[in-house]
Amino acid sequence: MSLTVTKNGTTNYAWSVPANTGRNQKTFTGRTKSVNSPSTYVDTTFRQPGKAEFVQLVSSSAISVSKNGTTKTITVLSNSSRLNVELLRNSVNASVGGIIINNVSYVNNSQITGDPGADEEYEAVITVNFNANTIASAKGVDVKITDNAGHSVICSLTQEAQTASITVSQQTVSVPASGGSGSINVTANDTWTVEAV
């Protein structure tokens, strides 16, 4: 990405510079020169400041996750030299499966090889692993991504509930005429109540 110039008639030229998404300042030169005497020219210097360090969600800020074991990806744009991924409110026992920046595996919270964000923004793709949800209520995790300047974004992932299931150790109990008492074991993937009906 650089300076483009186009001559407009005999008295001026148009110039255009695309957005600078990197942190570093960029400098371009436009040279106006004589056709008949190419050694006669005047340069114009164009200085473009870098963009402030940032991190921005490309993915939705809220993602639904299947109740089965699965993976989800979160994509962010950034120009930072370092990204830190944290899992908050992690009731699903999720884990970070990997981070890819410019098709290269990235070690969380380390300097990014080659510091591509100095020159332009890049995409980071974060993979989050989920085990199957075995309980009958939804679970969740917040994935917080923070750049080197302390800016952060959060993506909330909610894993759907498993179908409720209840089993009891006895479905038929023979009670003597004189009465009796005992206990029945309950296995459930949800909280449960019991009542006489």
Side-chain angles (χ1 to χ4, degrees):
M1 306 244 180
S2 61
L3 169 71
T4 57
V5 292
T6 307
K7 182 179 177 184
N8 288 333
T10 60
T11 59
N12 68 61
Y13 69 89
W15 62 269
S16 176
V17 175
N20 182 3
T21 59
R23 301 185 318 275
N24 291 344
Q25 174 180 289
K26 294 182 180 177
T27 303
F28 308 102
T29 302
R31 179 165 288 176
T32 308
K33 62 182 179 180
S34 169
V35 171
N36 295 315
S37 178
S39 61
T40 303
Y41 62 85
V42 176
D43 285 347
T44 301
T45 302
F46 297 81
R47 290 189 180 90
Q48 183 181 33
K51 183 174 181 175
E53 196 159 347
F54 77 99
V55 62
Q56 167 189 331
L57 272 173
V58 174
S59 301
S60 171
S61 62
I63 297 175
S64 294
V65 180
S66 162
K67 63 186 172 186
N68 304 317
T70 190
T71 62
K72 286 291 182 178
T73 58
I74 300 167
T75 303
V76 297
L77 280 179
S78 184
N79 64 359
S80 184
S81 61
R82 175 190 303 261
L83 292 178
N84 185 33
V85 178
E86 299 173 84
L87 302 180
L88 311 175
R89 190 185 60 90
N90 189 2
S91 65
V92 296
N93 199 26
S95 62
V96 176
I99 304 168
I100 302 293
I101 296 174
N102 289 346
N103 297 316
V104 176
S105 184
Y106 170 65
V107 177
N108 190 30
N109 204 26
S110 65
Q111 287 297 119
I112 300 170
T113 303
D115 192 11
D119 293 321
E120 63 184 354
E121 67 188 12
Y122 56 81
E123 272 192 354
V125 180
I126 300 142
T127 301
V128 183
N129 298 328
F130 293 85
N131 295 323
N133 185 359
T134 58
I135 65 170
S137 60
K139 295 180 174 184
V141 62
D142 292 331
V143 180
K144 181 180 181 183
I145 303 105
T146 306
D147 68 18
N148 205 33
H151 309 114
S152 62
V153 291
I154 292 180
C155 180
S156 297
L157 297 99
T158 303
Q159 189 173 28
E160 66 184 8
Q162 186 58 257
T163 303
S165 67
I166 297 177
T167 58
V168 292
S169 60
Q170 291 175 275
Q171 284 192 273
T172 303
V173 177
S174 295
V175 182
S178 59
S181 63
S183 66
I184 293 177
N185 295 328
V186 178
T187 302
N189 67 353
D190 195 8
T191 55
W192 54 275
T193 62
V194 64
E195 62 185 354
V197 292

Short mmCIF file of all heavy atoms in Angstrom, two decimals, residues 120-166:
data_model
loop_
_atom_site.label_atom_id
_atom_site.label_comp_id
_atom_site.label_asym_id
_atom_site.label_seq_id
_atom_site.Cartn_x
_atom_site.Cartn_y
_atom_site.Cartn_z
N GLU A 120 1.11 -3.05 9.25
CA GLU A 120 -0.31 -3.11 8.89
C GLU A 120 -1.05 -4.03 9.84
O GLU A 120 -0.45 -4.87 10.50
CB GLU A 120 -0.50 -3.57 7.44
CG GLU A 120 -0.01 -4.96 7.16
CD GLU A 120 -0.13 -5.33 5.68
OE1 GLU A 120 -0.70 -4.55 4.91
OE2 GLU A 120 0.34 -6.40 5.32
N GLU A 121 -2.37 -3.88 9.88
CA GLU A 121 -3.19 -4.73 10.74
C GLU A 121 -3.14 -6.17 10.23
O GLU A 121 -2.86 -6.42 9.06
CB GLU A 121 -4.63 -4.23 10.79
CG GLU A 121 -5.38 -4.34 9.47
CD GLU A 121 -6.73 -3.67 9.50
OE1 GLU A 121 -7.03 -2.91 10.45
OE2 GLU A 121 -7.50 -3.89 8.53
N TYR A 122 -3.43 -7.08 11.14
CA TYR A 122 -3.44 -8.51 10.80
C TYR A 122 -4.65 -9.15 11.46
O TYR A 122 -5.26 -8.58 12.37
CB TYR A 122 -2.16 -9.19 11.27
CG TYR A 122 -1.90 -9.02 12.75
CD1 TYR A 122 -2.54 -9.82 13.69
CD2 TYR A 122 -1.05 -8.02 13.21
CE1 TYR A 122 -2.33 -9.64 15.05
CE2 TYR A 122 -0.83 -7.82 14.57
CZ TYR A 122 -1.48 -8.64 15.48
OH TYR A 122 -1.28 -8.45 16.82
N GLU A 123 -5.00 -10.36 10.99
CA GLU A 123 -6.05 -11.14 11.62
C GLU A 123 -5.42 -12.19 12.53
O GLU A 123 -4.44 -12.83 12.15
CB GLU A 123 -6.90 -11.87 10.57
CG GLU A 123 -8.04 -11.08 10.05
CD GLU A 123 -9.02 -11.92 9.23
OE1 GLU A 123 -8.76 -13.11 8.98
OE2 GLU A 123 -10.07 -11.36 8.87
N ALA A 124 -5.99 -12.34 13.71
CA ALA A 124 -5.60 -13.42 14.61
C ALA A 124 -6.82 -14.31 14.78
O ALA A 124 -7.93 -13.83 15.02
CB ALA A 124 -5.16 -12.87 15.96
N VAL A 125 -6.62 -15.62 14.62
CA VAL A 125 -7.71 -16.59 14.74
C VAL A 125 -7.44 -17.46 15.96
O VAL A 125 -6.40 -18.12 16.05
CB VAL A 125 -7.83 -17.46 13.47
CG1 VAL A 125 -8.97 -18.47 13.63
CG2 VAL A 125 -8.07 -16.59 12.24
N ILE A 126 -8.36 -17.41 16.91
CA ILE A 126 -8.22 -18.13 18.18
C ILE A 126 -9.19 -19.30 18.17
O ILE A 126 -10.39 -19.12 17.95
CB ILE A 126 -8.53 -17.19 19.36
CG1 ILE A 126 -7.57 -15.99 19.35
CG2 ILE A 126 -8.48 -17.92 20.69
CD1 ILE A 126 -8.19 -14.69 19.73
N THR A 127 -8.68 -20.50 18.41
CA THR A 127 -9.53 -21.70 18.48
C THR A 127 -9.79 -22.03 19.94
O THR A 127 -8.86 -22.08 20.74
CB THR A 127 -8.84 -22.89 17.79
OG1 THR A 127 -8.60 -22.54 16.42
CG2 THR A 127 -9.73 -24.13 17.83
N VAL A 128 -11.06 -22.25 20.27
CA VAL A 128 -11.45 -22.60 21.64
C VAL A 128 -12.07 -24.00 21.60
O VAL A 128 -12.97 -24.27 20.79
CB VAL A 128 -12.45 -21.59 22.22
CG1 VAL A 128 -12.79 -21.94 23.67
CG2 VAL A 128 -11.88 -20.17 22.14
N ASN A 129 -11.55 -24.90 22.44
CA ASN A 129 -12.04 -26.28 22.51
C ASN A 129 -13.08 -26.43 23.61
O ASN A 129 -12.91 -25.90 24.71
CB ASN A 129 -10.89 -27.24 22.80
CG ASN A 129 -9.84 -27.22 21.71
OD1 ASN A 129 -10.16 -27.02 20.54
ND2 ASN A 129 -8.59 -27.44 22.08
N PHE A 130 -14.14 -27.21 23.31
CA PHE A 130 -15.20 -27.48 24.28
C PHE A 130 -15.40 -28.98 24.41
O PHE A 130 -15.49 -29.69 23.41
CB PHE A 130 -16.53 -26.87 23.82
CG PHE A 130 -16.55 -25.38 23.81
CD1 PHE A 130 -16.07 -24.67 22.73
CD2 PHE A 130 -17.05 -24.68 24.89
CE1 PHE A 130 -16.08 -23.29 22.71
CE2 PHE A 130 -17.06 -23.30 24.90
CZ PHE A 130 -16.57 -22.60 23.81
N ASN A 131 -15.49 -29.47 25.64
CA ASN A 131 -15.94 -30.83 25.89
C ASN A 131 -17.46 -30.83 25.80
O ASN A 131 -18.09 -29.78 25.85
CB ASN A 131 -15.50 -31.30 27.28
CG ASN A 131 -14.00 -31.41 27.39
OD1 ASN A 131 -13.33 -31.80 26.45
ND2 ASN A 131 -13.47 -31.06 28.55
N ALA A 132 -18.06 -32.01 25.68
CA ALA A 132 -19.52 -32.10 25.66
C ALA A 132 -20.10 -31.59 26.98
O ALA A 132 -19.52 -31.81 28.05
CB ALA A 132 -19.94 -33.54 25.42
N ASN A 133 -21.21 -30.89 26.89
CA ASN A 133 -21.92 -30.45 28.09
C ASN A 133 -22.80 -31.60 28.55
O ASN A 133 -23.71 -32.01 27.85
CB ASN A 133 -22.76 -29.21 27.79
CG ASN A 133 -23.41 -28.64 29.03
OD1 ASN A 133 -23.25 -29.17 30.13
ND2 ASN A 133 -24.15 -27.56 28.87
N THR A 134 -22.54 -32.13 29.72
CA THR A 134 -23.29 -33.30 30.21
C THR A 134 -24.41 -32.92 31.16
O THR A 134 -25.14 -33.79 31.63
CB THR A 134 -22.34 -34.28 30.92
OG1 THR A 134 -21.70 -33.59 31.99
CG2 THR A 134 -21.30 -34.83 29.97
N ILE A 135 -24.56 -31.64 31.47
CA ILE A 135 -25.62 -31.24 32.40
C ILE A 135 -26.74 -30.52 31.66
O ILE A 135 -26.57 -30.04 30.54
CB ILE A 135 -25.08 -30.37 33.56
CG1 ILE A 135 -24.55 -29.04 33.04
CG2 ILE A 135 -24.00 -31.11 34.34
CD1 ILE A 135 -24.24 -28.06 34.14
N ALA A 136 -27.90 -30.45 32.29
CA ALA A 136 -29.09 -29.91 31.64
C ALA A 136 -29.25 -28.41 31.85
O ALA A 136 -30.35 -27.90 31.96
CB ALA A 136 -30.32 -30.66 32.14
N SER A 137 -28.15 -27.70 31.91
CA SER A 137 -28.19 -26.23 31.94
C SER A 137 -27.05 -25.71 31.08
O SER A 137 -26.02 -26.37 30.94
CB SER A 137 -28.10 -25.70 33.37
OG SER A 137 -26.90 -26.11 33.99
N ALA A 138 -27.28 -24.54 30.50
CA ALA A 138 -26.27 -23.94 29.63
C ALA A 138 -25.04 -23.56 30.44
O ALA A 138 -25.13 -23.26 31.63
CB ALA A 138 -26.85 -22.72 28.93
N LYS A 139 -23.89 -23.60 29.77
CA LYS A 139 -22.63 -23.19 30.38
C LYS A 139 -22.02 -22.09 29.53
O LYS A 139 -22.41 -21.89 28.38
CB LYS A 139 -21.65 -24.37 30.43
CG LYS A 139 -22.05 -25.52 31.32
CD LYS A 139 -20.97 -26.59 31.24
CE LYS A 139 -21.19 -27.74 32.20
NZ LYS A 139 -20.07 -28.69 32.15
N GLY A 140 -21.05 -21.39 30.08
CA GLY A 140 -20.46 -20.32 29.31
C GLY A 140 -19.01 -20.05 29.61
O GLY A 140 -18.47 -20.49 30.63
N VAL A 141 -18.37 -19.32 28.68
CA VAL A 141 -17.00 -18.85 28.87
C VAL A 141 -16.88 -17.51 28.16
O VAL A 141 -17.48 -17.30 27.11
CB VAL A 141 -15.97 -19.87 28.32
CG1 VAL A 141 -16.12 -20.09 26.82
CG2 VAL A 141 -14.54 -19.43 28.64
N ASP A 142 -16.15 -16.59 28.77
CA ASP A 142 -15.83 -15.31 28.14
C ASP A 142 -14.38 -15.36 27.72
O ASP A 142 -13.50 -15.66 28.54
CB ASP A 142 -16.05 -14.14 29.11
CG ASP A 142 -17.50 -13.93 29.44
OD1 ASP A 142 -18.37 -14.25 28.60
OD2 ASP A 142 -17.79 -13.43 30.55
N VAL A 143 -14.12 -15.09 26.44
CA VAL A 143 -12.76 -15.06 25.93
C VAL A 143 -12.35 -13.60 25.81
O VAL A 143 -12.96 -12.83 25.06
CB VAL A 143 -12.66 -15.78 24.57
CG1 VAL A 143 -11.22 -15.75 24.06
CG2 VAL A 143 -13.15 -17.22 24.69
N LYS A 144 -11.35 -13.22 26.59
CA LYS A 144 -10.87 -11.84 26.61
C LYS A 144 -9.55 -11.77 25.85
O LYS A 144 -8.62 -12.52 26.16
CB LYS A 144 -10.67 -11.38 28.06
CG LYS A 144 -10.19 -9.94 28.19
CD LYS A 144 -10.03 -9.57 29.67
CE LYS A 144 -9.57 -8.14 29.84
NZ LYS A 144 -9.36 -7.80 31.27
N ILE A 145 -9.48 -10.88 24.85
CA ILE A 145 -8.27 -10.70 24.06
C ILE A 145 -7.77 -9.28 24.31
O ILE A 145 -8.50 -8.32 24.10
CB ILE A 145 -8.53 -10.92 22.55
CG1 ILE A 145 -9.13 -12.32 22.31
CG2 ILE A 145 -7.24 -10.78 21.76
CD1 ILE A 145 -10.57 -12.32 22.01
N THR A 146 -6.52 -9.17 24.76
CA THR A 146 -5.95 -7.87 25.16
C THR A 146 -4.70 -7.59 24.33
O THR A 146 -3.85 -8.47 24.17
CB THR A 146 -5.60 -7.87 26.66
OG1 THR A 146 -6.75 -8.27 27.41
CG2 THR A 146 -5.13 -6.51 27.12
N ASP A 147 -4.59 -6.35 23.82
CA ASP A 147 -3.38 -5.99 23.08
C ASP A 147 -2.30 -5.49 24.04
O ASP A 147 -2.51 -5.42 25.25
CB ASP A 147 -3.69 -4.97 21.97
CG ASP A 147 -4.10 -3.59 22.48
OD1 ASP A 147 -3.85 -3.26 23.65
OD2 ASP A 147 -4.68 -2.82 21.68
N ASN A 148 -1.15 -5.15 23.49
CA ASN A 148 0.01 -4.76 24.31
C ASN A 148 -0.19 -3.41 25.00
O ASN A 148 0.53 -3.09 25.94
CB ASN A 148 1.28 -4.75 23.46
CG ASN A 148 2.53 -4.97 24.28
OD1 ASN A 148 2.52 -5.69 25.27
ND2 ASN A 148 3.61 -4.33 23.87
N ALA A 149 -1.16 -2.62 24.52
CA ALA A 149 -1.43 -1.31 25.14
C ALA A 149 -2.53 -1.40 26.19
O ALA A 149 -2.90 -0.40 26.79
CB ALA A 149 -1.82 -0.30 24.06
N GLY A 150 -3.09 -2.61 26.40
CA GLY A 150 -4.11 -2.78 27.43
C GLY A 150 -5.54 -2.69 26.94
O GLY A 150 -6.47 -2.83 27.73
N HIS A 151 -5.75 -2.47 25.62
CA HIS A 151 -7.11 -2.47 25.09
C HIS A 151 -7.58 -3.92 25.00
O HIS A 151 -6.79 -4.80 24.67
CB HIS A 151 -7.16 -1.86 23.68
CG HIS A 151 -6.50 -0.53 23.58
ND1 HIS A 151 -5.36 -0.30 22.83
CD2 HIS A 151 -6.81 0.65 24.14
CE1 HIS A 151 -5.01 0.96 22.93
NE2 HIS A 151 -5.87 1.56 23.73
N SER A 152 -8.86 -4.16 25.28
CA SER A 152 -9.33 -5.54 25.22
C SER A 152 -10.74 -5.61 24.65
O SER A 152 -11.49 -4.64 24.66
CB SER A 152 -9.29 -6.18 26.61
OG SER A 152 -10.14 -5.50 27.50
N VAL A 153 -11.05 -6.80 24.12
CA VAL A 153 -12.40 -7.13 23.65
C VAL A 153 -12.78 -8.46 24.29
O VAL A 153 -11.91 -9.25 24.67
CB VAL A 153 -12.47 -7.22 22.11
CG1 VAL A 153 -12.29 -5.86 21.47
CG2 VAL A 153 -11.45 -8.22 21.57
N ILE A 154 -14.09 -8.69 24.41
CA ILE A 154 -14.56 -9.94 25.01
C ILE A 154 -15.59 -10.58 24.09
O ILE A 154 -16.49 -9.90 23.59
CB ILE A 154 -15.18 -9.69 26.41
CG1 ILE A 154 -14.10 -9.27 27.40
CG2 ILE A 154 -15.90 -10.94 26.91
CD1 ILE A 154 -14.58 -8.99 28.80
N CYS A 155 -15.42 -11.87 23.87
CA CYS A 155 -16.39 -12.67 23.13
C CYS A 155 -16.97 -13.69 24.10
O CYS A 155 -16.23 -14.43 24.74
CB CYS A 155 -15.69 -13.37 21.96
SG CYS A 155 -16.80 -14.39 20.97
N SER A 156 -18.29 -13.70 24.23
CA SER A 156 -18.97 -14.62 25.16
C SER A 156 -19.51 -15.81 24.38
O SER A 156 -20.26 -15.65 23.42
CB SER A 156 -20.12 -13.91 25.87
OG SER A 156 -19.64 -12.87 26.67
N LEU A 157 -19.12 -17.01 24.80
CA LEU A 157 -19.57 -18.23 24.17
C LEU A 157 -20.46 -18.99 25.15
O LEU A 157 -20.07 -19.20 26.30
CB LEU A 157 -18.39 -19.10 23.75
CG LEU A 157 -17.47 -18.46 22.69
CD1 LEU A 157 -16.25 -17.85 23.35
CD2 LEU A 157 -17.07 -19.46 21.64
N THR A 158 -21.65 -19.38 24.70
CA THR A 158 -22.60 -20.09 25.54
C THR A 158 -22.86 -21.46 24.95
O THR A 158 -23.29 -21.57 23.80
CB THR A 158 -23.92 -19.31 25.67
OG1 THR A 158 -23.64 -18.00 26.17
CG2 THR A 158 -24.89 -20.02 26.59
N GLN A 159 -22.60 -22.50 25.75
CA GLN A 159 -22.81 -23.87 25.30
C GLN A 159 -24.20 -24.33 25.72
O GLN A 159 -24.58 -24.21 26.88
CB GLN A 159 -21.73 -24.79 25.88
CG GLN A 159 -21.76 -26.19 25.30
CD GLN A 159 -20.58 -27.03 25.76
OE1 GLN A 159 -20.05 -26.83 26.85
NE2 GLN A 159 -20.18 -27.99 24.94
N GLU A 160 -24.96 -24.85 24.75
CA GLU A 160 -26.34 -25.24 25.03
C GLU A 160 -26.40 -26.39 26.04
O GLU A 160 -25.44 -27.16 26.18
CB GLU A 160 -27.07 -25.62 23.74
CG GLU A 160 -26.55 -26.84 23.05
CD GLU A 160 -27.24 -27.12 21.72
OE1 GLU A 160 -28.03 -26.29 21.25
OE2 GLU A 160 -26.98 -28.19 21.16
N ALA A 161 -27.53 -26.49 26.70
CA ALA A 161 -27.75 -27.51 27.73
C ALA A 161 -27.95 -28.88 27.11
O ALA A 161 -28.48 -29.01 26.01
CB ALA A 161 -28.96 -27.14 28.57
N GLN A 162 -27.55 -29.88 27.84
CA GLN A 162 -27.83 -31.26 27.47
C GLN A 162 -29.30 -31.56 27.80
O GLN A 162 -29.89 -30.94 28.68
CB GLN A 162 -26.92 -32.20 28.25
CG GLN A 162 -26.99 -33.66 27.88
CD GLN A 162 -26.68 -33.93 26.43
OE1 GLN A 162 -27.60 -34.16 25.68
NE2 GLN A 162 -25.41 -33.89 26.06
N THR A 163 -29.92 -32.49 27.12
CA THR A 163 -31.28 -32.90 27.43
C THR A 163 -31.31 -33.46 28.86
O THR A 163 -30.45 -34.26 29.23
CB THR A 163 -31.76 -33.98 26.45
OG1 THR A 163 -31.65 -33.47 25.12
CG2 THR A 163 -33.20 -34.39 26.72
N ALA A 164 -32.29 -33.02 29.64
CA ALA A 164 -32.38 -33.47 31.04
C ALA A 164 -32.65 -34.96 31.09
O ALA A 164 -33.41 -35.51 30.30
CB ALA A 164 -33.48 -32.71 31.76
N SER A 165 -31.98 -35.62 32.04
CA SER A 165 -32.23 -37.06 32.24
C SER A 165 -32.19 -37.38 33.73
O SER A 165 -31.39 -36.80 34.48
CB SER A 165 -31.20 -37.90 31.49
OG SER A 165 -29.91 -37.73 32.05
N ILE A 166 -33.10 -38.27 34.15
CA ILE A 166 -33.17 -38.70 35.55
C ILE A 166 -33.38 -40.21 35.56
O ILE A 166 -34.25 -40.72 34.83
CB ILE A 166 -34.32 -38.02 36.31
CG1 ILE A 166 -34.11 -36.51 36.39
CG2 ILE A 166 -34.46 -38.60 37.72
CD1 ILE A 166 -35.24 -35.75 37.05
#
